Amino acid sequence: MKPSVLISIGIALAILVGGSVAVLSARQHSAEIALPPLSPYRGSIPPPGIRAPDFTLRDYRGSKVTMSKLRGRVVVLSFVDSKCTQQCPIVTSVIARTMKQLPVNARHQVAPVLMSVDPKVDTPANVRRFLARRGALGLTYVVGQTREMRPIWKAYGILPAVDSGHADIHSSDVRIFDRRGIWVSTQHAGEDLTTTNLEHDISLAQRR
């Protein structure tokens, strides 16, 4: 074989090997960057260190509820509409069943709160009917005038149904806040929200 041919083959092999090494290195580097931080929670990981924005509203029975006064308890918060037929029934039912599964002593250390995303339709009668159908009368359902709820919705970064114009189109994630009011986990209906996962994350948040 001619020397020129051997040189050409050598150059080609060098390029091939070098390229393979470069691709492998890039893939390894990419994998290292892409790995999410490990979390003991089963829900998705929220940005670190976010404390629940404070608010004071009344529940559908007329009792005052202040978020900061729930410190010392784990808070399970979601955003619902009593006319919603898709995510809200699932979210409400899962939270209610989970609360019933918790040991009695642990149950008293958890505050399940549902926040209205459409105050106009969430009348006391509609809310009570919605909760009763899901065996969820033990949950706290807070409501208020749209004008007083807007800054609260904004603080929590949610889309309310009053803005989407549809009872089934709004934020409906389930957020778990630990005893200090720090957001530690988020679960979603149809993805990772189950009674088992929610109970796990509540129990973990109680130990923080």
Side-chain angles (χ1 to χ4, degrees):
M1 189 177 290
K2 295 181 179 181
S4 59
V5 174
L6 290 174
I7 292 171
S8 298
I9 293 172
I11 292 172
L13 287 173
I15 292 172
L16 180 61
V17 172
S20 299
V21 171
V23 169
L24 181 58
S25 176
R27 286 178 177 174
Q28 289 175 338
H29 183 62
S30 175
E32 288 172 2
I33 293 174
L35 286 175
L38 294 177
S39 170
Y41 292 96
R42 294 182 180 173
S44 58
I45 306 169
I50 295 181
R51 193 177 298 275
D54 198 18
F55 63 80
T56 297
L57 293 168
R58 293 190 180 275
D59 67 14
Y60 75 100
R61 297 186 183 94
S63 299
K64 188 180 291 187
V65 178
T66 300
M67 188 62 158
S68 60
K69 290 186 177 179
L70 299 177
R71 297 283 192 272
R73 300 166 68 185
V74 170
V75 176
V76 178
L77 175 68
S78 192
F79 313 95
V80 294
D81 183 325
S82 61
K83 294 300 182 180
C84 174
T85 59
Q86 296 183 10
Q87 304 289 357
C88 300
I90 298 171
V91 165
T92 303
S93 297
V94 170
I95 294 175
R97 292 200 307 271
T98 302
M99 290 298 296
K100 292 172 184 176
Q101 290 177 189
L102 290 172
V104 175
N105 59 333
R107 194 180 309 157
H108 293 310
Q109 300 302 316
V110 180
V113 180
L114 303 177
M115 181 182 293
S116 172
V117 291
D118 194 346
K120 291 182 179 180
V121 304
D122 283 346
T123 63
N126 285 344
V127 170
R128 181 177 177 80
R129 189 179 305 113
F130 172 82
L131 293 176
R133 287 173 178 170
R134 280 96 198 163
L137 287 172
L139 306 188
T140 299
Y141 197 126
V142 295
V143 295
Q145 298 295 320
T146 300
R147 64 178 179 275
E148 68 177 316
M149 297 200 70
R150 279 203 178 281
I152 301 172
W153 293 331
K154 183 178 180 180
Y156 280 88
I158 70 161
L159 170 69
V162 293
D163 287 350
S164 73
H166 197 294
D168 289 323
I169 302 176
H170 60 85
S171 301
S172 59
D173 52 309
V174 178
R175 304 180 187 183
I176 298 105
F177 297 87
D178 68 16
R179 295 173 182 271
R180 301 171 297 163
I182 302 298
W183 184 12
V184 294
S185 178
T186 308
Q187 296 186 16
H188 301 82
E191 296 179 25
D192 49 15
L193 178 66
T194 65
T195 55
T196 300
N197 286 348
L198 187 55
E199 183 175 359
H200 174 276
D201 284 5
I202 289 173
S203 299
L204 195 58
Q206 285 181 320
R207 297 197 294 270
R208 280 175 59 93

